[in-house]
Amino acid sequence: MKVSGFDIIEQLKKSNFWLSAIAVGLTIIQLDLNWKFIGSIDALTLRGLFLTIILYLIWKKQHILNLKSDLFSTFIGLFLISFILIKSLSLFWFESFFIKIFALFSFLGLALIASGIKGLKQYWQEFIILLLSLSDGLLLSLVAAKIDVSLLAAKVSNFVLWYLGFAVYRQGVKVILPTGGIEIYPGCSGLNAILLLLQLSLVFILVFPLNIFQKIMLPIVAVSLAFIINIFRLVLMTLLLANSNHQGFEYWHGESGNQIFSTISILAFGFVCHWTLMQKKPA
């Protein structure tokens, strides 16, 4: 009995071992590229979280997946993976956009090898989650173009300080106390944290069974949490600068201080998600 090379590939695929090994290897390379070319702990953590969720979803439904491909689909999948692996060996600093293409081509290539073009619909949830993880820059641009988050943050921060009894006033995005104040730029407005929790809320909706009300409310709660928690950071920085505590201001204004408030936002949203799951499941 003659056995073709494609038959050997099909036999290997039945064990799922080599597909799993390739997926893990591509994930490690993807995270390594993120660290080298982006260098942000937040970005790396977020990307790792999204990739982990994708791998978990595939592992969870591995027994019901149709792992039947064809020669053309397998060739295209191998070509995509080979291309990104070869290209990743000679990346320049200005080609950070390739990291996003790497993730997309990796998953598409694996899906084609595993299930063929006709089987891609089995991975619709994973594709949406992957696109959400890659759309942070686009979402940031769209939101910044439509909503002046800096001005809104300045207004709310001004109100909080006024409510606490401080003699505060606002000039545009500047929140000013008699002895000093801050100017709220987009990077300090909480926009990044808002988009982060919004992405996480959409992923949560895709992964877990929720009713319509929960699906509507969860993104709203995520955005509100991120915005409100960042307001406390802005109020704190205003008070520190007004009291000539420049060292404290620089700390909370810098990456370390921002990281603490981002972590608080994520933990608070995690508590909301846990509470949501504890409610009565939809029928």
Side-chain angles (χ1 to χ4, degrees), residues 7-23:
D7 290 333
I8 295 175
I9 291 177
E10 287 297 314
Q11 290 298 319
L12 287 172
K13 242 185 340 184
K14 289 180 180 179
S15 68
N16 298 336
F17 174 78
W18 75 289
L19 284 175
S20 301
I22 294 175

Side-chain angles (χ1 to χ4, degrees), residues 116-141:
I117 295 176
K118 294 181 180 179
L120 291 180
K121 60 185 178 181
Q122 301 176 103
Y123 308 100
W124 67 270
Q125 284 179 298
E126 291 79 8
F127 271 114
I128 292 177
I129 293 172
L130 181 59
L131 291 175
L132 281 173
S133 73
L134 303 178
S135 62
D136 46 358
L138 178 61
L139 286 173
L140 188 65
S141 301

Side-chain angles (χ1 to χ4, degrees), residues 78-206:
L78 290 173
F79 173 78
L80 290 175
I81 293 175
S82 299
F83 167 74
I84 57 175
L85 288 176
I86 294 172
K87 179 59 182 173
S88 65
L89 297 175
S90 58
L91 282 180
F92 298 97
W93 64 269
F94 55 84
E95 294 182 301
S96 58
F97 69 93
F98 175 79
I99 298 174
K100 297 184 177 182
I101 299 176
F102 186 100
L104 185 60
F105 279 19
S106 296
F107 186 72
L108 180 59
L110 278 171
L112 286 170
I113 294 173
S115 303
I117 295 176
K118 294 181 180 179
L120 291 180
K121 60 185 178 181
Q122 301 176 103
Y123 308 100
W124 67 270
Q125 284 179 298
E126 291 79 8
F127 271 114
I128 292 177
I129 293 172
L130 181 59
L131 291 175
L132 281 173
S133 73
L134 303 178
S135 62
D136 46 358
L138 178 61
L139 286 173
L140 188 65
S141 301
L142 289 175
V143 174
K146 296 295 183 181
I147 304 175
D148 192 346
V149 182
S150 296
L151 182 60
L152 181 60
K155 289 181 177 180
V156 177
S157 299
N158 183 79
F159 172 78
V160 171
L161 286 167
W162 170 81
Y163 185 80
L164 293 175
F166 292 96
V168 63
Y169 65 98
R170 181 181 61 84
Q171 291 181 347
V173 294
K174 294 181 179 180
V175 180
I176 305 171
L177 290 169
T179 53
I182 63 171
E183 184 172 356
I184 303 173
Y185 294 102
C188 298
S189 64
L191 185 55
N192 288 322
I194 289 172
L195 293 179
L196 169 60
L197 292 196
L198 180 60
Q199 287 175 304
L200 291 177
S201 69
L202 296 177
V203 170
F204 189 82
I205 290 171
L206 286 170

